[in-house]
Amino acid sequence: MVFHLHQTFNIVFCEYAKGGMIYEAMHIFDQMRQQGLSPNVVNYGALIDALCKLGRVDEAMLRCNQMINEGVTPNIIVFTSLVYGLCTVDKWEKADELFSEMLNQGIYPNATFFNTIMRNLCNEGRVMEAQSLVDLMVRLGVRPDVISYNTLIDGYCLAGRMEEAMKLLDVMVSAGLEPDVVAYNTLLHGYCRAGRIYDAFRLFRQMLSNAVTPGVATYNTILHGLFQYGRFSEAKELYLNMIKSGMQLDIYTCNIMLNGLCKNNFLDDAFEMFQSLCSMDSQLDIITFNIMIDALLKSGRKEDAMGMLTAISAHGLVPDVVTYRLVTENLIKEGLLEEFDNLFLAMEKSGCTPNSGMLNAIIRRLLDRGEIMRAGVYLSKIDEKNFSLEASTTSLLLSVFSREEYRHHAKSLPEKFHFLWVLINEHYFK
DNA sequence: ATAGGGTTAG
């Protein structure tokens, strides 16, 4: 009976943790203890993973210590979640320490563990380090699997090194692994990103001849590539063929189509498609709304954009940092600075934290309007969060502060940005 | 009942 109760709690708990509903999960934790049940490694694993995915890595580390104090030993799954969290928030030295600690405790890393680190290295453009991790795996006797190679392929694609990415298909085969649909999708995406649609189609044929069945993600990738390079009629034809073939279209297909229509000046068609999706009760996501809000604001249809904004919650969704970025940028552009300040506060109150891209965009918009003091407030936020300035933000700052009437403002910048002051002075006195 | 890969918005 007690065992059964423990199981029931675990199922509910994991459900919450997986959905990122931390407070609800913690509540279950408390309830379990009240019933005299101690959380086990699965409960802690689920909680730690959820915290790491939300970027709350410090709390995750505390939970891991708490778990150890309660006599529960972390397993490879817990270490994988923690190392994911640490890499993602750029705490690579800590991740390294964790790896040593893990080995000390006699817990052996598996392919999943290494793949997690490789994913983060590749996302940062550090594909060579990911490559050497594969070599390390081999030395440690951990066989790289299909996911290891696919991750590495993506790393090379992201670095624009398509020839090396392609070579990995053969490397996989000689390692006794079959390149799967994800391997091909990754490479197709790489070619499309590089504007090499012809090579993408060539690879697509190669994929078919190797008896790998394309999936909806394959077609979505090509569809997006065609739109991106203005090949509108081919994109439309592909879309119609996808429907005709009876393929189950997904939210990606819908969003790619909506965005493709908007960016090719078919906003009315996009709006119509959006409405028909709504009437069919399709499960839309926040990206759908962001695409529409962006397009409506850019074409001056502010009323419609605000209608979309309010429709978000009616669809059971929550505005994200991109939504807020789109609307705040528009408010600044229109000089509605008080509304902008209020929206920014409302955003923070809702638990949505601005990211580096949003703060950079805000600063640029404020500088454009000569709102130097207000821009300073957001520069301080960038400073606090240890984000960096994007190149376009830096050059705008330099050109603004180079103007006589604004030069004195540069002196009151946070210390981190004093290099701007130095650059300006070098420019003036050389 | 806890961990890893591909496609969409800025």
Side-chain angles (χ1 to χ4, degrees):
Chain A
M1 185 60 200
V2 171
F3 183 70
H4 177 74
L5 189 62
H6 204 163
Q7 260 188 339
T8 310
F9 269 121
N10 282 353
I11 292 164
V12 177
F13 177 83
C14 291
E15 191 88 352
Y16 280 137
K18 270 196 153 175
M21 297 165 78
I22 297 292
Y23 289 108
E24 292 79 356
M26 306 271 210
H27 182 64
I28 304 272
F29 241 61
D30 294 336
Q31 280 191 327
M32 283 177 79
R33 287 193 216 275
Q34 277 166 26
Q35 301 272 338
L37 302 168
S38 325
N40 60 13
V41 65
V42 176
N43 297 128
Y44 271 111
L47 181 61
I48 287 168
D49 188 60
L51 287 168
C52 287
K53 293 225 165 77
L54 292 170
R56 293 158 63 172
V57 189
D58 294 337
E59 287 170 74
M61 292 293 274
L62 288 174
R63 288 293 177 177
C64 186
N65 289 332
Q66 181 188 17
M67 167 177 165
I68 293 165
N69 290 338
E70 288 178 11
V72 183
T73 314
N75 57 15
I76 182 66
I77 297 179
V78 174
F79 278 109
T80 305
S81 296
L82 285 171
V83 87
Y84 164 86
L86 290 170
C87 293
T88 309
V89 299
D90 242 37
K91 295 186 171 171
W92 290 90
E93 313 79 29
K94 288 243 177 195
D96 215 47
E97 281 171 32
L98 196 76
F99 183 45
S100 313
E101 196 186 314
M102 192 176 118
L103 293 175
N104 283 339
Q105 292 186 23
I107 295 167
Y108 216 67
N110 56 18
T112 305
F113 179 83
F114 283 113
N115 294 344
T116 304
I117 303 172
M118 282 172 56
R119 175 75 266 159
N120 281 286
L121 287 170
C122 290
N123 284 343
E124 292 191 8
R126 297 161 64 180
V127 62
M128 292 319 286
E129 290 164 82
Q131 175 77 64
S132 48
L133 219 46
V134 171
D135 303 337
L136 177 66
M137 286 171 79
V138 175
R139 280 206 303 278
L140 292 177
V142 182
R143 270 194 61 169
D145 60 13
V146 174
I147 296 183
S148 313
Y149 284 104
N150 287 348
T151 307
L152 200 53
I153 287 175
D154 197 37
Y156 279 112
C157 289
L158 291 172
R161 296 162 68 168
M162 288 308 298
E163 274 57 43
E164 285 146 293
M166 283 294 287
K167 275 189 197 137
L168 282 169
L169 285 181
D170 297 327
V171 175
M172 277 171 88
V173 174
S174 38
L177 299 166
E178 280 293 317
D180 63 3
V181 63
V182 176
Y184 283 100
N185 290 348
T186 308
L187 287 160
L188 285 170
H189 184 231
Y191 276 135
C192 289
R193 255 172 53 100
R196 295 166 64 174
I197 306 282
Y198 180 81
D199 289 313
F201 279 115
R202 200 167 42 89
L203 184 66
F204 180 73
R205 285 192 298 272
Q206 187 184 324
M207 174 180 180
L208 296 178
S209 68
N210 286 338
V212 177
T213 310
V216 66
T218 313
Y219 292 103
N220 288 341
T221 303
I222 298 172
L223 187 65
H224 180 245
L226 290 171
F227 271 127
Q228 226 177 350
Y229 294 96
R231 294 165 68 160
F232 187 76
S233 54
E234 288 164 89
K236 215 167 149 186
E237 196 186 320
L238 176 60
Y239 176 66
L240 294 175
N241 279 327
M242 285 169 78
I243 295 177
K244 214 163 64 191
S245 71
M247 173 162 272
Q248 190 67 51
L249 306 187
D250 63 9
I251 185 68
Y252 286 89
T253 322
C254 297
N255 290 340
I256 291 164
M257 276 306 291
L258 288 172
N259 190 46
L261 289 168
C262 289
K263 298 283 152 70
N264 286 276
N265 291 315
F266 291 97
L267 179 53
D268 290 327
D269 296 76
F271 205 85
E272 205 175 291
M273 181 175 166
F274 175 84
Q275 280 169 332
S276 85
L277 287 169
C278 287
S279 67
M280 294 185 322
D281 234 23
S282 303
Q283 195 52 60
L284 305 178
D285 65 9
I286 191 61
I287 295 180
T288 317
F289 286 91
N290 290 342
I291 289 166
M292 295 308 296
I293 290 170
D294 187 32
L296 290 165
L297 287 175
K298 289 208 168 98
S299 62
R301 290 165 62 172
K302 191 161 181 182
E303 299 275 297
D304 288 327
M306 292 308 153
M308 285 281 173
L309 190 63
T310 49
I312 290 174
S313 57
H315 285 257
L317 301 167
V318 184
D320 70 0
V321 64
V322 177
T323 322
Y324 284 112
R325 171 176 169 168
L326 294 169
V327 181
T328 51
E329 280 196 75
N330 182 263
L331 290 174
I332 301 170
K333 212 174 81 185
E334 302 208 316
L336 302 168
L337 295 172
E338 217 153 289
E339 275 188 57
F340 156 68
D341 286 333
N342 291 336
L343 187 64
F344 195 89
L345 290 174
M347 173 188 79
E348 290 185 313
K349 213 175 145 193
S350 79
C352 176
T353 42
N355 59 16
S356 172
M358 180 181 185
L359 292 174
N360 271 278
I362 287 174
I363 291 164
R364 289 193 297 268
R365 293 284 183 193
L366 288 170
L367 292 175
D368 278 338
R369 292 195 58 90
E371 288 285 336
I372 311 298
M373 295 305 282
R374 258 201 180 81
V377 174
Y378 293 90
L379 273 169
S380 310
K381 287 185 193 287
I382 283 203
D383 186 38
E384 273 168 37
K385 292 175 181 283
N386 256 315
F387 291 151
S388 36
L389 293 179
E390 289 167 8
S392 53
T393 313
T394 307
S395 70
L396 192 55
L397 275 166
L398 279 173
S399 76
V400 169
F401 288 141
S402 297
R403 289 169 58 180
E404 195 61 46
E405 66 265 42
Y406 294 141
R407 276 182 73 193
H408 64 281
H409 283 301
K411 277 187 270 189
S412 52
L413 288 171
E415 200 173 332
K416 188 171 155 190
F417 302 120
H418 279 186
F419 73 92
L420 289 166
W421 180 238
V422 174
L423 281 174
I424 291 164
N425 282 312
E426 275 174 8
H427 174 77
Y428 270 82
F429 301 118
K430 82 177 161 204

Short mmCIF file of all heavy atoms in Angstrom, two decimals, chain A residues 22-61:
data_model
loop_
_atom_site.label_atom_id
_atom_site.label_comp_id
_atom_site.label_asym_id
_atom_site.label_seq_id
_atom_site.Cartn_x
_atom_site.Cartn_y
_atom_site.Cartn_z
N ILE A 22 7.54 23.94 -11.36
CA ILE A 22 8.39 23.71 -10.19
C ILE A 22 7.63 23.84 -8.87
O ILE A 22 7.77 23.01 -7.97
CB ILE A 22 9.58 24.69 -10.20
CG1 ILE A 22 10.45 24.44 -11.43
CG2 ILE A 22 10.39 24.58 -8.93
CD1 ILE A 22 11.18 23.13 -11.41
N TYR A 23 6.81 24.90 -8.77
CA TYR A 23 6.12 25.13 -7.49
C TYR A 23 5.18 23.98 -7.16
O TYR A 23 5.12 23.53 -6.02
CB TYR A 23 5.39 26.47 -7.51
CG TYR A 23 6.37 27.60 -7.49
CD1 TYR A 23 6.59 28.38 -8.62
CD2 TYR A 23 7.14 27.85 -6.33
CE1 TYR A 23 7.54 29.39 -8.60
CE2 TYR A 23 8.08 28.86 -6.32
CZ TYR A 23 8.28 29.63 -7.45
OH TYR A 23 9.22 30.61 -7.44
N GLU A 24 4.47 23.51 -8.18
CA GLU A 24 3.56 22.39 -7.98
C GLU A 24 4.35 21.14 -7.58
O GLU A 24 3.94 20.39 -6.69
CB GLU A 24 2.76 22.13 -9.27
CG GLU A 24 1.77 23.23 -9.64
CD GLU A 24 2.40 24.46 -10.29
OE1 GLU A 24 3.64 24.52 -10.42
OE2 GLU A 24 1.63 25.37 -10.67
N ALA A 25 5.49 20.95 -8.25
CA ALA A 25 6.33 19.79 -7.94
C ALA A 25 6.83 19.84 -6.50
O ALA A 25 6.79 18.85 -5.77
CB ALA A 25 7.50 19.72 -8.91
N MET A 26 7.28 21.03 -6.08
CA MET A 26 7.78 21.20 -4.70
C MET A 26 6.67 20.89 -3.69
O MET A 26 6.93 20.32 -2.64
CB MET A 26 8.23 22.64 -4.45
CG MET A 26 9.22 23.14 -5.44
SD MET A 26 10.89 22.80 -4.95
CE MET A 26 11.69 24.19 -5.71
N HIS A 27 5.47 21.31 -4.04
CA HIS A 27 4.33 21.08 -3.16
C HIS A 27 4.15 19.58 -2.96
O HIS A 27 3.90 19.11 -1.84
CB HIS A 27 3.08 21.71 -3.77
CG HIS A 27 1.86 21.57 -2.92
ND1 HIS A 27 1.76 22.14 -1.67
CD2 HIS A 27 0.71 20.88 -3.12
CE1 HIS A 27 0.59 21.82 -1.15
NE2 HIS A 27 -0.06 21.04 -2.00
N ILE A 28 4.28 18.82 -4.04
CA ILE A 28 4.16 17.36 -3.95
C ILE A 28 5.29 16.81 -3.06
O ILE A 28 5.07 15.90 -2.26
CB ILE A 28 4.24 16.71 -5.35
CG1 ILE A 28 3.19 17.29 -6.27
CG2 ILE A 28 4.15 15.20 -5.25
CD1 ILE A 28 1.85 16.60 -6.24
N PHE A 29 6.47 17.39 -3.23
CA PHE A 29 7.62 17.00 -2.38
C PHE A 29 7.22 17.09 -0.90
O PHE A 29 7.42 16.16 -0.14
CB PHE A 29 8.78 17.98 -2.64
CG PHE A 29 10.02 17.34 -3.16
CD1 PHE A 29 10.01 16.67 -4.37
CD2 PHE A 29 11.21 17.42 -2.46
CE1 PHE A 29 11.17 16.08 -4.87
CE2 PHE A 29 12.37 16.84 -2.94
CZ PHE A 29 12.35 16.17 -4.16
N ASP A 30 6.65 18.26 -0.52
CA ASP A 30 6.25 18.49 0.88
C ASP A 30 5.18 17.49 1.31
O ASP A 30 5.26 16.92 2.40
CB ASP A 30 5.72 19.92 1.04
CG ASP A 30 6.82 20.95 0.82
OD1 ASP A 30 8.01 20.58 0.99
OD2 ASP A 30 6.50 22.09 0.46
N GLN A 31 4.21 17.30 0.41
CA GLN A 31 3.12 16.37 0.73
C GLN A 31 3.65 14.95 0.96
O GLN A 31 3.20 14.25 1.86
CB GLN A 31 2.10 16.34 -0.40
CG GLN A 31 1.14 17.52 -0.35
CD GLN A 31 -0.01 17.32 -1.32
OE1 GLN A 31 0.16 16.72 -2.38
NE2 GLN A 31 -1.17 17.82 -0.96
N MET A 32 4.62 14.58 0.14
CA MET A 32 5.21 13.24 0.28
C MET A 32 5.85 13.09 1.66
O MET A 32 5.64 12.09 2.34
CB MET A 32 6.29 13.01 -0.78
CG MET A 32 5.74 12.70 -2.14
SD MET A 32 7.02 12.52 -3.37
CE MET A 32 7.58 10.86 -3.03
N ARG A 33 6.60 14.11 2.05
CA ARG A 33 7.27 14.04 3.36
C ARG A 33 6.25 13.96 4.49
O ARG A 33 6.45 13.23 5.46
CB ARG A 33 8.17 15.26 3.54
CG ARG A 33 9.42 15.21 2.70
CD ARG A 33 10.39 16.28 3.17
NE ARG A 33 11.13 16.88 2.07
CZ ARG A 33 12.25 16.37 1.57
NH1 ARG A 33 12.74 15.25 2.06
NH2 ARG A 33 12.86 16.96 0.58
N GLN A 34 5.15 14.72 4.33
CA GLN A 34 4.10 14.68 5.36
C GLN A 34 3.52 13.29 5.51
O GLN A 34 3.12 12.88 6.59
CB GLN A 34 2.97 15.66 5.00
CG GLN A 34 3.27 17.10 5.43
CD GLN A 34 2.33 18.09 4.77
OE1 GLN A 34 1.20 17.73 4.41
NE2 GLN A 34 2.77 19.32 4.63
N GLN A 35 3.52 12.54 4.41
CA GLN A 35 3.00 11.17 4.44
C GLN A 35 4.07 10.18 4.90
O GLN A 35 3.86 8.98 4.86
CB GLN A 35 2.54 10.77 3.03
CG GLN A 35 1.46 11.63 2.45
CD GLN A 35 0.07 11.16 2.83
OE1 GLN A 35 -0.12 10.00 3.18
NE2 GLN A 35 -0.89 12.07 2.81
N GLY A 36 5.25 10.74 5.24
CA GLY A 36 6.32 9.87 5.70
C GLY A 36 7.08 9.19 4.59
O GLY A 36 7.77 8.19 4.82
N LEU A 37 6.93 9.72 3.37
CA LEU A 37 7.64 9.14 2.24
C LEU A 37 8.84 10.03 1.89
O LEU A 37 8.70 11.25 1.84
CB LEU A 37 6.72 9.05 1.02
CG LEU A 37 5.44 8.24 1.18
CD1 LEU A 37 4.51 8.50 0.00
CD2 LEU A 37 5.75 6.76 1.30
N SER A 38 9.98 9.43 1.67
CA SER A 38 11.15 10.24 1.28
C SER A 38 11.28 10.23 -0.23
O SER A 38 11.13 9.19 -0.85
CB SER A 38 12.43 9.68 1.88
OG SER A 38 12.17 9.15 3.14
N PRO A 39 11.60 11.40 -0.78
CA PRO A 39 11.84 11.46 -2.23
C PRO A 39 13.02 10.55 -2.59
O PRO A 39 13.99 10.47 -1.85
CB PRO A 39 12.20 12.92 -2.47
CG PRO A 39 11.69 13.67 -1.28
CD PRO A 39 11.74 12.71 -0.14
N ASN A 40 12.91 9.87 -3.70
CA ASN A 40 14.00 8.99 -4.14
C ASN A 40 14.79 9.63 -5.29
O ASN A 40 14.55 10.78 -5.65
CB ASN A 40 13.45 7.61 -4.53
CG ASN A 40 12.44 7.72 -5.67
OD1 ASN A 40 12.33 8.75 -6.33
ND2 ASN A 40 11.70 6.66 -5.89
N VAL A 41 15.68 8.86 -5.85
CA VAL A 41 16.57 9.40 -6.89
C VAL A 41 15.77 9.85 -8.13
O VAL A 41 16.16 10.82 -8.80
CB VAL A 41 17.69 8.39 -7.25
CG1 VAL A 41 17.11 7.13 -7.89
CG2 VAL A 41 18.74 9.02 -8.15
N VAL A 42 14.66 9.19 -8.39
CA VAL A 42 13.85 9.59 -9.55
C VAL A 42 13.21 10.96 -9.32
O VAL A 42 13.21 11.82 -10.19
CB VAL A 42 12.78 8.53 -9.86
CG1 VAL A 42 11.88 8.98 -11.01
CG2 VAL A 42 13.43 7.21 -10.21
N ASN A 43 12.70 11.17 -8.10
CA ASN A 43 12.09 12.47 -7.77
C ASN A 43 13.13 13.58 -7.86
O ASN A 43 12.89 14.61 -8.49
CB ASN A 43 11.52 12.47 -6.36
CG ASN A 43 10.41 11.46 -6.20
OD1 ASN A 43 10.45 10.65 -5.29
ND2 ASN A 43 9.45 11.50 -7.08
N TYR A 44 14.25 13.34 -7.22
CA TYR A 44 15.30 14.36 -7.26
C TYR A 44 15.78 14.58 -8.69
O TYR A 44 16.02 15.71 -9.11
CB TYR A 44 16.46 13.97 -6.34
CG TYR A 44 16.27 14.46 -4.93
CD1 TYR A 44 16.03 13.59 -3.88
CD2 TYR A 44 16.33 15.82 -4.66
CE1 TYR A 44 15.84 14.05 -2.59
CE2 TYR A 44 16.16 16.30 -3.37
CZ TYR A 44 15.92 15.41 -2.34
OH TYR A 44 15.74 15.88 -1.08
N GLY A 45 15.93 13.49 -9.44
CA GLY A 45 16.36 13.60 -10.83
C GLY A 45 15.42 14.46 -11.64
O GLY A 45 15.85 15.35 -12.38
N ALA A 46 14.12 14.23 -11.48
CA ALA A 46 13.12 14.99 -12.24
C ALA A 46 13.17 16.47 -11.84
O ALA A 46 13.09 17.36 -12.70
CB ALA A 46 11.74 14.41 -12.01
N LEU A 47 13.30 16.72 -10.53
CA LEU A 47 13.32 18.11 -10.05
C LEU A 47 14.58 18.84 -10.53
O LEU A 47 14.52 19.97 -11.02
CB LEU A 47 13.25 18.12 -8.52
CG LEU A 47 13.23 19.49 -7.87
CD1 LEU A 47 12.02 20.30 -8.31
CD2 LEU A 47 13.24 19.37 -6.35
N ILE A 48 15.71 18.16 -10.39
CA ILE A 48 16.99 18.76 -10.80
C ILE A 48 16.98 19.04 -12.30
O ILE A 48 17.40 20.10 -12.75
CB ILE A 48 18.16 17.83 -10.40
CG1 ILE A 48 18.36 17.90 -8.88
CG2 ILE A 48 19.45 18.20 -11.13
CD1 ILE A 48 19.27 16.83 -8.31
N ASP A 49 16.45 18.11 -13.07
CA ASP A 49 16.39 18.31 -14.52
C ASP A 49 15.52 19.51 -14.87
O ASP A 49 15.89 20.34 -15.70
CB ASP A 49 15.87 17.05 -15.20
CG ASP A 49 15.97 17.16 -16.70
OD1 ASP A 49 17.10 17.31 -17.20
OD2 ASP A 49 14.93 17.12 -17.38
N ALA A 50 14.36 19.59 -14.21
CA ALA A 50 13.45 20.71 -14.48
C ALA A 50 14.11 22.04 -14.13
O ALA A 50 14.02 23.00 -14.90
CB ALA A 50 12.15 20.53 -13.71
N LEU A 51 14.79 22.11 -13.00
CA LEU A 51 15.47 23.34 -12.60
C LEU A 51 16.55 23.71 -13.61
O LEU A 51 16.68 24.88 -14.00
CB LEU A 51 16.08 23.19 -11.20
CG LEU A 51 15.08 23.20 -10.04
CD1 LEU A 51 15.75 22.73 -8.75
CD2 LEU A 51 14.46 24.58 -9.85
N CYS A 52 17.33 22.73 -14.05
CA CYS A 52 18.39 23.00 -15.03
C CYS A 52 17.81 23.51 -16.34
O CYS A 52 18.36 24.42 -16.95
CB CYS A 52 19.21 21.73 -15.27
SG CYS A 52 20.30 21.33 -13.90
N LYS A 53 16.69 22.94 -16.77
CA LYS A 53 16.09 23.37 -18.04
C LYS A 53 15.57 24.79 -17.95
O LYS A 53 15.45 25.48 -18.95
CB LYS A 53 14.97 22.41 -18.44
CG LYS A 53 15.49 21.02 -18.78
CD LYS A 53 14.87 20.46 -20.05
CE LYS A 53 15.66 19.28 -20.57
NZ LYS A 53 15.42 18.04 -19.83
N LEU A 54 15.24 25.23 -16.73
CA LEU A 54 14.78 26.61 -16.54
C LEU A 54 15.96 27.55 -16.30
O LEU A 54 15.77 28.73 -16.04
CB LEU A 54 13.80 26.69 -15.37
CG LEU A 54 12.45 26.00 -15.54
CD1 LEU A 54 11.70 25.95 -14.23
CD2 LEU A 54 11.62 26.73 -16.60
N GLY A 55 17.16 27.01 -16.33
CA GLY A 55 18.34 27.84 -16.11
C GLY A 55 18.64 28.10 -14.63
O GLY A 55 19.51 28.90 -14.31
N ARG A 56 17.89 27.44 -13.75
CA ARG A 56 18.09 27.67 -12.30
C ARG A 56 19.06 26.62 -11.76
O ARG A 56 18.73 25.78 -10.92
CB ARG A 56 16.73 27.62 -11.60
CG ARG A 56 15.85 28.80 -12.01
CD ARG A 56 14.38 28.58 -11.80
NE ARG A 56 14.01 28.39 -10.40
CZ ARG A 56 12.76 28.32 -9.97
NH1 ARG A 56 11.76 28.44 -10.84
NH2 ARG A 56 12.50 28.14 -8.70
N VAL A 57 20.28 26.72 -12.26
CA VAL A 57 21.29 25.68 -12.01
C VAL A 57 21.77 25.69 -10.56
O VAL A 57 22.05 24.64 -9.98
CB VAL A 57 22.49 25.83 -12.97
CG1 VAL A 57 23.41 24.65 -12.87
CG2 VAL A 57 22.00 25.98 -14.39
N ASP A 58 21.86 26.89 -9.96
CA ASP A 58 22.31 26.97 -8.57
C ASP A 58 21.36 26.20 -7.65
O ASP A 58 21.80 25.44 -6.79
CB ASP A 58 22.39 28.44 -8.12
CG ASP A 58 23.49 29.18 -8.87
OD1 ASP A 58 24.41 28.49 -9.37
OD2 ASP A 58 23.42 30.41 -8.96
N GLU A 59 20.06 26.39 -7.88
CA GLU A 59 19.07 25.65 -7.08
C GLU A 59 19.20 24.15 -7.32
O GLU A 59 19.06 23.35 -6.39
CB GLU A 59 17.66 26.09 -7.46
CG GLU A 59 17.28 27.47 -6.95
CD GLU A 59 15.98 27.93 -7.58
OE1 GLU A 59 14.92 27.42 -7.18
OE2 GLU A 59 16.03 28.80 -8.46
N ALA A 60 19.46 23.80 -8.57
CA ALA A 60 19.62 22.38 -8.92
C ALA A 60 20.79 21.78 -8.15
O ALA A 60 20.69 20.67 -7.60
CB ALA A 60 19.81 22.21 -10.41
N MET A 61 21.89 22.53 -8.07
CA MET A 61 23.08 22.05 -7.34
C MET A 61 22.75 21.89 -5.86
O MET A 61 23.17 20.91 -5.23
CB MET A 61 24.25 23.03 -7.52
CG MET A 61 24.80 23.09 -8.93
SD MET A 61 25.61 21.57 -9.46
CE MET A 61 27.24 21.83 -8.82
#
